[in-house]
mmCIF file of all heavy atoms in Angstrom:
data_model
loop_
_atom_site.group_PDB
_atom_site.id
_atom_site.type_symbol
_atom_site.label_atom_id
_atom_site.label_comp_id
_atom_site.label_asym_id
_atom_site.label_seq_id
_atom_site.Cartn_x
_atom_site.Cartn_y
_atom_site.Cartn_z
ATOM 1 N N GLN A 1 0.860 -1.171 -0.004
ATOM 2 C CA GLN A 1 -0.060 -0.009 -0.038
ATOM 3 C C GLN A 1 0.865 1.172 0.016
ATOM 4 O O GLN A 1 1.710 1.453 0.866
ATOM 5 C CB GLN A 1 -0.884 0.101 1.238
ATOM 6 C CG GLN A 1 -1.811 1.281 1.319
ATOM 7 C CD GLN A 1 -2.793 1.341 0.246
ATOM 8 O OE1 GLN A 1 -3.479 0.266 -0.034
ATOM 9 N NE2 GLN A 1 -3.027 2.527 -0.389
ATOM 10 N N MET A 2 0.795 2.056 -0.977
ATOM 11 C CA MET A 2 1.669 3.198 -1.193
ATOM 12 C C MET A 2 0.670 4.486 -1.044
ATOM 13 O O MET A 2 -0.194 4.712 -1.828
ATOM 14 C CB MET A 2 2.227 3.184 -2.538
ATOM 15 C CG MET A 2 3.079 1.957 -2.758
ATOM 16 S SD MET A 2 4.123 1.950 -4.321
ATOM 17 C CE MET A 2 2.675 2.029 -5.466
ATOM 18 N N ASN A 3 0.953 5.339 -0.062
ATOM 19 C CA ASN A 3 0.313 6.544 0.208
ATOM 20 C C ASN A 3 1.277 7.745 0.133
ATOM 21 O O ASN A 3 2.402 7.607 0.160
ATOM 22 C CB ASN A 3 -0.307 6.523 1.639
ATOM 23 C CG ASN A 3 -1.398 5.426 1.814
ATOM 24 O OD1 ASN A 3 -2.031 5.026 0.925
ATOM 25 N ND2 ASN A 3 -1.379 4.916 3.057
ATOM 26 N N SER A 4 0.649 8.945 -0.104
ATOM 27 C CA SER A 4 1.426 10.182 -0.140
ATOM 28 C C SER A 4 2.531 10.070 -1.247
ATOM 29 O O SER A 4 3.729 10.404 -1.015
ATOM 30 C CB SER A 4 2.022 10.602 1.212
ATOM 31 O OG SER A 4 1.026 10.738 2.123
ATOM 32 N N LEU A 5 2.192 9.612 -2.300
ATOM 33 C CA LEU A 5 3.174 9.307 -3.414
ATOM 34 C C LEU A 5 3.596 10.674 -3.922
ATOM 35 O O LEU A 5 2.890 11.676 -4.007
ATOM 36 C CB LEU A 5 2.490 8.541 -4.583
ATOM 37 C CG LEU A 5 2.311 7.027 -4.190
ATOM 38 C CD1 LEU A 5 1.266 6.443 -5.266
ATOM 39 C CD2 LEU A 5 3.599 6.284 -4.247
ATOM 40 N N ASN A 6 4.848 10.687 -4.414
ATOM 41 C CA ASN A 6 5.525 11.827 -5.001
ATOM 42 C C ASN A 6 6.196 11.367 -6.307
ATOM 43 O O ASN A 6 6.365 10.161 -6.473
ATOM 44 C CB ASN A 6 6.421 12.565 -3.959
ATOM 45 C CG ASN A 6 7.617 11.686 -3.594
ATOM 46 O OD1 ASN A 6 8.340 11.195 -4.269
ATOM 47 N ND2 ASN A 6 7.533 11.315 -2.202
ATOM 48 N N PRO A 7 6.554 12.314 -7.128
ATOM 49 C CA PRO A 7 7.276 11.876 -8.439
ATOM 50 C C PRO A 7 8.487 11.083 -8.181
ATOM 51 O O PRO A 7 8.784 10.286 -9.180
ATOM 52 C CB PRO A 7 7.498 13.302 -9.044
ATOM 53 C CG PRO A 7 6.433 14.196 -8.632
ATOM 54 C CD PRO A 7 6.259 13.743 -7.111
ATOM 55 N N GLU A 8 9.174 11.216 -7.156
ATOM 56 C CA GLU A 8 10.395 10.444 -6.933
ATOM 57 C C GLU A 8 10.027 8.980 -6.712
ATOM 58 O O GLU A 8 10.908 8.125 -6.661
ATOM 59 C CB GLU A 8 11.217 10.923 -5.759
ATOM 60 C CG GLU A 8 11.868 12.316 -6.046
ATOM 61 C CD GLU A 8 12.846 12.747 -4.963
ATOM 62 O OE1 GLU A 8 12.877 12.131 -3.945
ATOM 63 O OE2 GLU A 8 13.468 13.825 -5.262
ATOM 64 N N ASP A 9 8.697 8.623 -6.383
ATOM 65 C CA ASP A 9 8.360 7.169 -6.290
ATOM 66 C C ASP A 9 8.149 6.530 -7.682
ATOM 67 O O ASP A 9 7.889 5.372 -7.761
ATOM 68 C CB ASP A 9 7.045 7.106 -5.481
ATOM 69 C CG ASP A 9 7.247 7.565 -3.996
ATOM 70 O OD1 ASP A 9 8.291 7.240 -3.378
ATOM 71 O OD2 ASP A 9 6.400 8.305 -3.508
ATOM 72 N N THR A 10 8.250 7.359 -8.728
ATOM 73 C CA THR A 10 8.011 6.713 -10.132
ATOM 74 C C THR A 10 9.110 5.736 -10.352
ATOM 75 O O THR A 10 10.281 5.984 -10.319
ATOM 76 C CB THR A 10 8.057 7.853 -11.111
ATOM 77 O OG1 THR A 10 6.849 8.819 -10.957
ATOM 78 C CG2 THR A 10 8.007 7.340 -12.578
ATOM 79 N N ALA A 11 8.660 4.577 -10.700
ATOM 80 C CA ALA A 11 9.589 3.433 -10.968
ATOM 81 C C ALA A 11 8.828 2.178 -11.346
ATOM 82 O O ALA A 11 7.594 2.201 -11.247
ATOM 83 C CB ALA A 11 10.460 3.176 -9.707
ATOM 84 N N VAL A 12 9.517 1.185 -11.836
ATOM 85 C CA VAL A 12 8.972 -0.163 -11.995
ATOM 86 C C VAL A 12 9.200 -0.831 -10.599
ATOM 87 O O VAL A 12 10.262 -0.853 -10.084
ATOM 88 C CB VAL A 12 9.677 -0.942 -13.157
ATOM 89 C CG1 VAL A 12 9.076 -2.313 -13.153
ATOM 90 C CG2 VAL A 12 9.451 -0.209 -14.470
ATOM 91 N N TYR A 13 8.080 -1.398 -10.102
ATOM 92 C CA TYR A 13 8.107 -1.933 -8.778
ATOM 93 C C TYR A 13 8.047 -3.544 -8.976
ATOM 94 O O TYR A 13 7.296 -4.062 -9.730
ATOM 95 C CB TYR A 13 6.905 -1.551 -7.945
ATOM 96 C CG TYR A 13 7.117 -0.128 -7.287
ATOM 97 C CD1 TYR A 13 7.091 0.971 -8.164
ATOM 98 C CD2 TYR A 13 7.388 0.000 -5.954
ATOM 99 C CE1 TYR A 13 7.284 2.197 -7.587
ATOM 100 C CE2 TYR A 13 7.518 1.245 -5.405
ATOM 101 C CZ TYR A 13 7.480 2.368 -6.253
ATOM 102 O OH TYR A 13 7.633 3.637 -5.740
ATOM 103 N N TYR A 14 9.040 -4.157 -8.174
ATOM 104 C CA TYR A 14 9.041 -5.637 -8.355
ATOM 105 C C TYR A 14 8.873 -6.270 -6.959
ATOM 106 O O TYR A 14 9.261 -5.730 -5.908
ATOM 107 C CB TYR A 14 10.556 -5.970 -8.803
ATOM 108 C CG TYR A 14 10.914 -5.457 -10.079
ATOM 109 C CD1 TYR A 14 11.470 -4.177 -10.309
ATOM 110 C CD2 TYR A 14 10.691 -6.223 -11.285
ATOM 111 C CE1 TYR A 14 11.895 -3.719 -11.474
ATOM 112 C CE2 TYR A 14 11.107 -5.753 -12.501
ATOM 113 C CZ TYR A 14 11.749 -4.541 -12.560
ATOM 114 O OH TYR A 14 12.134 -4.058 -13.787
ATOM 115 N N CYS A 15 8.168 -7.336 -6.872
ATOM 116 C CA CYS A 15 8.164 -8.226 -5.726
ATOM 117 C C CYS A 15 9.209 -9.287 -5.920
ATOM 118 O O CYS A 15 9.457 -9.737 -7.009
ATOM 119 C CB CYS A 15 6.794 -8.712 -5.392
ATOM 120 S SG CYS A 15 5.984 -9.819 -6.493
ATOM 121 N N ALA A 16 9.625 -9.814 -4.839
ATOM 122 C CA ALA A 16 10.638 -10.935 -4.910
ATOM 123 C C ALA A 16 10.645 -11.698 -3.580
ATOM 124 O O ALA A 16 10.050 -11.175 -2.449
ATOM 125 C CB ALA A 16 12.019 -10.316 -5.060
ATOM 126 N N THR A 17 11.289 -12.843 -3.538
ATOM 127 C CA THR A 17 11.355 -13.654 -2.383
ATOM 128 C C THR A 17 12.838 -13.861 -2.050
ATOM 129 O O THR A 17 13.765 -13.918 -2.869
ATOM 130 C CB THR A 17 10.686 -15.002 -2.589
ATOM 131 O OG1 THR A 17 11.264 -15.716 -3.644
ATOM 132 C CG2 THR A 17 9.186 -14.809 -2.838
ATOM 133 N N SER A 18 13.096 -14.051 -0.658
ATOM 134 C CA SER A 18 14.462 -14.177 -0.140
ATOM 135 C C SER A 18 14.423 -15.390 0.768
ATOM 136 O O SER A 18 13.535 -15.564 1.577
ATOM 137 C CB SER A 18 14.866 -12.924 0.523
ATOM 138 O OG SER A 18 16.186 -13.091 1.102
ATOM 139 N N PRO A 19 15.520 -16.142 0.752
ATOM 140 C CA PRO A 19 15.712 -17.185 1.731
ATOM 141 C C PRO A 19 16.272 -16.787 3.022
ATOM 142 O O PRO A 19 16.336 -17.506 4.007
ATOM 143 C CB PRO A 19 16.759 -18.151 1.016
ATOM 144 C CG PRO A 19 17.579 -17.293 0.196
ATOM 145 C CD PRO A 19 16.654 -16.135 -0.244
ATOM 146 N N ARG A 20 16.538 -15.408 3.155
ATOM 147 C CA ARG A 20 17.082 -14.894 4.457
ATOM 148 C C ARG A 20 15.980 -15.005 5.512
ATOM 149 O O ARG A 20 14.876 -14.636 5.418
ATOM 150 C CB ARG A 20 17.507 -13.489 4.316
ATOM 151 C CG ARG A 20 18.644 -13.303 3.288
ATOM 152 C CD ARG A 20 20.004 -13.578 3.874
ATOM 153 N NE ARG A 20 20.298 -12.634 4.896
ATOM 154 C CZ ARG A 20 21.491 -12.620 5.545
ATOM 155 N NH1 ARG A 20 22.424 -13.431 5.191
ATOM 156 N NH2 ARG A 20 21.668 -11.712 6.422
ATOM 157 N N ARG A 21 16.478 -15.512 6.623
ATOM 158 C CA ARG A 21 15.579 -15.802 7.863
ATOM 159 C C ARG A 21 15.854 -14.948 9.096
ATOM 160 O O ARG A 21 15.031 -14.731 9.900
ATOM 161 C CB ARG A 21 15.568 -17.242 8.339
ATOM 162 C CG ARG A 21 15.460 -18.238 7.133
ATOM 163 C CD ARG A 21 15.280 -19.667 7.706
ATOM 164 N NE ARG A 21 13.948 -19.933 8.034
ATOM 165 C CZ ARG A 21 13.086 -20.636 7.231
ATOM 166 N NH1 ARG A 21 13.578 -20.999 5.995
ATOM 167 N NH2 ARG A 21 11.866 -20.791 7.587
ATOM 168 N N SER A 22 17.121 -14.291 9.077
ATOM 169 C CA SER A 22 17.527 -13.603 10.248
ATOM 170 C C SER A 22 17.538 -12.094 9.939
ATOM 171 O O SER A 22 16.503 -11.465 10.080
ATOM 172 C CB SER A 22 18.937 -14.015 10.690
ATOM 173 O OG SER A 22 19.806 -14.059 9.613
ATOM 174 N N SER A 23 18.646 -11.472 9.605
ATOM 175 C CA SER A 23 18.814 -10.134 9.324
ATOM 176 C C SER A 23 17.882 -9.794 8.059
ATOM 177 O O SER A 23 17.815 -10.637 7.084
ATOM 178 C CB SER A 23 20.194 -9.585 8.998
ATOM 179 O OG SER A 23 20.758 -10.354 7.953
ATOM 180 N N TRP A 24 17.367 -8.614 7.931
ATOM 181 C CA TRP A 24 16.526 -8.221 6.798
ATOM 182 C C TRP A 24 17.365 -8.101 5.496
ATOM 183 O O TRP A 24 18.317 -7.423 5.483
ATOM 184 C CB TRP A 24 15.860 -6.893 7.065
ATOM 185 C CG TRP A 24 14.720 -7.067 8.146
ATOM 186 C CD1 TRP A 24 14.819 -6.636 9.380
ATOM 187 C CD2 TRP A 24 13.442 -7.585 7.880
ATOM 188 N NE1 TRP A 24 13.621 -6.876 9.981
ATOM 189 C CE2 TRP A 24 12.795 -7.473 9.068
ATOM 190 C CE3 TRP A 24 12.865 -8.163 6.764
ATOM 191 C CZ2 TRP A 24 11.400 -7.989 9.200
ATOM 192 C CZ3 TRP A 24 11.599 -8.628 6.908
ATOM 193 C CH2 TRP A 24 10.868 -8.517 8.199
ATOM 194 N N PRO A 25 17.002 -8.788 4.472
ATOM 195 C CA PRO A 25 17.613 -8.663 3.167
ATOM 196 C C PRO A 25 17.202 -7.292 2.434
ATOM 197 O O PRO A 25 16.010 -7.122 2.293
ATOM 198 C CB PRO A 25 17.154 -9.877 2.394
ATOM 199 C CG PRO A 25 15.786 -10.103 2.981
ATOM 200 C CD PRO A 25 15.826 -9.755 4.473
ATOM 201 N N THR A 26 18.248 -6.534 2.178
ATOM 202 C CA THR A 26 18.032 -5.262 1.475
ATOM 203 C C THR A 26 18.698 -5.132 0.213
ATOM 204 O O THR A 26 18.581 -4.156 -0.523
ATOM 205 C CB THR A 26 18.302 -4.054 2.342
ATOM 206 O OG1 THR A 26 19.750 -4.168 2.670
ATOM 207 C CG2 THR A 26 17.510 -4.085 3.607
ATOM 208 N N ARG A 27 19.496 -6.200 -0.187
ATOM 209 C CA ARG A 27 20.166 -6.173 -1.463
ATOM 210 C C ARG A 27 19.638 -7.034 -2.525
ATOM 211 O O ARG A 27 18.993 -8.130 -2.181
ATOM 212 C CB ARG A 27 21.659 -6.553 -1.165
ATOM 213 C CG ARG A 27 22.389 -5.621 -0.264
ATOM 214 C CD ARG A 27 23.881 -6.017 -0.028
ATOM 215 N NE ARG A 27 23.904 -7.347 0.649
ATOM 216 C CZ ARG A 27 24.964 -7.942 0.955
ATOM 217 N NH1 ARG A 27 26.229 -7.357 0.665
ATOM 218 N NH2 ARG A 27 25.033 -9.172 1.546
ATOM 219 N N ARG A 28 19.705 -6.647 -3.776
ATOM 220 C CA ARG A 28 19.108 -7.391 -4.855
ATOM 221 C C ARG A 28 19.650 -8.872 -4.792
ATOM 222 O O ARG A 28 18.888 -9.741 -5.102
ATOM 223 C CB ARG A 28 19.369 -6.677 -6.177
ATOM 224 C CG ARG A 28 18.798 -7.404 -7.377
ATOM 225 C CD ARG A 28 19.102 -6.575 -8.642
ATOM 226 N NE ARG A 28 18.547 -7.164 -9.830
ATOM 227 C CZ ARG A 28 18.486 -6.562 -11.006
ATOM 228 N NH1 ARG A 28 19.039 -5.376 -11.209
ATOM 229 N NH2 ARG A 28 17.930 -7.143 -11.994
ATOM 230 N N THR A 29 20.922 -9.074 -4.485
ATOM 231 C CA THR A 29 21.485 -10.333 -4.633
ATOM 232 C C THR A 29 20.965 -11.254 -3.479
ATOM 233 O O THR A 29 21.286 -12.550 -3.548
ATOM 234 C CB THR A 29 23.009 -10.204 -4.492
ATOM 235 O OG1 THR A 29 23.391 -9.559 -3.308
ATOM 236 C CG2 THR A 29 23.643 -9.545 -5.641
ATOM 237 N N GLU A 30 20.328 -10.771 -2.484
ATOM 238 C CA GLU A 30 19.772 -11.589 -1.381
ATOM 239 C C GLU A 30 18.372 -12.101 -1.756
ATOM 240 O O GLU A 30 17.811 -12.895 -0.970
ATOM 241 C CB GLU A 30 19.670 -10.865 -0.157
ATOM 242 C CG GLU A 30 21.113 -10.362 0.419
ATOM 243 C CD GLU A 30 20.956 -9.536 1.671
ATOM 244 O OE1 GLU A 30 20.527 -8.405 1.538
ATOM 245 O OE2 GLU A 30 21.341 -10.021 2.671
ATOM 246 N N TYR A 31 17.889 -11.875 -2.845
ATOM 247 C CA TYR A 31 16.549 -12.441 -3.367
ATOM 248 C C TYR A 31 16.754 -13.267 -4.579
ATOM 249 O O TYR A 31 17.556 -13.119 -5.400
ATOM 250 C CB TYR A 31 15.559 -11.153 -3.700
ATOM 251 C CG TYR A 31 15.202 -10.428 -2.515
ATOM 252 C CD1 TYR A 31 16.009 -9.634 -1.898
ATOM 253 C CD2 TYR A 31 13.887 -10.646 -1.969
ATOM 254 C CE1 TYR A 31 15.595 -8.880 -0.753
ATOM 255 C CE2 TYR A 31 13.506 -9.934 -0.844
ATOM 256 C CZ TYR A 31 14.308 -9.074 -0.209
ATOM 257 O OH TYR A 31 13.924 -8.379 0.925
ATOM 258 N N ASN A 32 15.883 -14.399 -4.634
ATOM 259 C CA ASN A 32 16.187 -15.399 -5.667
ATOM 260 C C ASN A 32 15.092 -15.519 -6.672
ATOM 261 O O ASN A 32 15.369 -15.875 -7.726
ATOM 262 C CB ASN A 32 16.339 -16.806 -4.928
ATOM 263 C CG ASN A 32 15.385 -17.003 -3.826
ATOM 264 O OD1 ASN A 32 14.356 -16.405 -3.760
ATOM 265 N ND2 ASN A 32 15.554 -18.121 -3.070
ATOM 266 N N TYR A 33 13.823 -15.240 -6.306
ATOM 267 C CA TYR A 33 12.740 -15.256 -7.238
ATOM 268 C C TYR A 33 12.132 -13.828 -7.405
ATOM 269 O O TYR A 33 11.952 -13.122 -6.409
ATOM 270 C CB TYR A 33 11.580 -16.235 -6.845
ATOM 271 C CG TYR A 33 12.033 -17.638 -6.793
ATOM 272 C CD1 TYR A 33 12.446 -18.249 -5.663
ATOM 273 C CD2 TYR A 33 12.104 -18.358 -8.042
ATOM 274 C CE1 TYR A 33 12.813 -19.645 -5.610
ATOM 275 C CE2 TYR A 33 12.584 -19.682 -8.069
ATOM 276 C CZ TYR A 33 12.842 -20.279 -6.864
ATOM 277 O OH TYR A 33 13.318 -21.565 -6.880
ATOM 278 N N TRP A 34 11.814 -13.439 -8.708
ATOM 279 C CA TRP A 34 11.440 -12.110 -8.948
ATOM 280 C C TRP A 34 10.192 -12.220 -9.944
ATOM 281 O O TRP A 34 10.097 -13.024 -10.707
ATOM 282 C CB TRP A 34 12.469 -11.296 -9.622
ATOM 283 C CG TRP A 34 13.684 -10.984 -8.757
ATOM 284 C CD1 TRP A 34 14.711 -11.854 -8.515
ATOM 285 C CD2 TRP A 34 13.905 -9.854 -8.038
ATOM 286 N NE1 TRP A 34 15.673 -11.207 -7.637
ATOM 287 C CE2 TRP A 34 15.146 -9.955 -7.343
ATOM 288 C CE3 TRP A 34 13.226 -8.579 -7.914
ATOM 289 C CZ2 TRP A 34 15.714 -8.942 -6.533
ATOM 290 C CZ3 TRP A 34 13.753 -7.644 -7.066
ATOM 291 C CH2 TRP A 34 14.952 -7.904 -6.461
#
């Protein structure tokens, strides 16, 4: 859910899954399915 959108939010948005269970994955390489 995206509220208060501004032009800097313009982008292609992707969902993905990560096998990481502990620390939060924030890098593209930490996700396997897109």
Side-chain angles (χ1 to χ4, degrees):
Q1 178 67 46
M2 306 185 296
N3 299 325
S4 301
L5 288 164
N6 59 66
E8 292 187 351
D9 295 316
T10 295
V12 177
Y13 283 71
Y14 301 87
C15 64
T17 60
S18 173
R20 299 278 295 186
R21 313 187 86 97
S22 53
S23 60
W24 286 105
T26 61
R27 297 180 297 181
R28 182 176 181 175
T29 54
E30 296 178 291
Y31 289 77
N32 48 10
Y33 294 102
W34 293 83

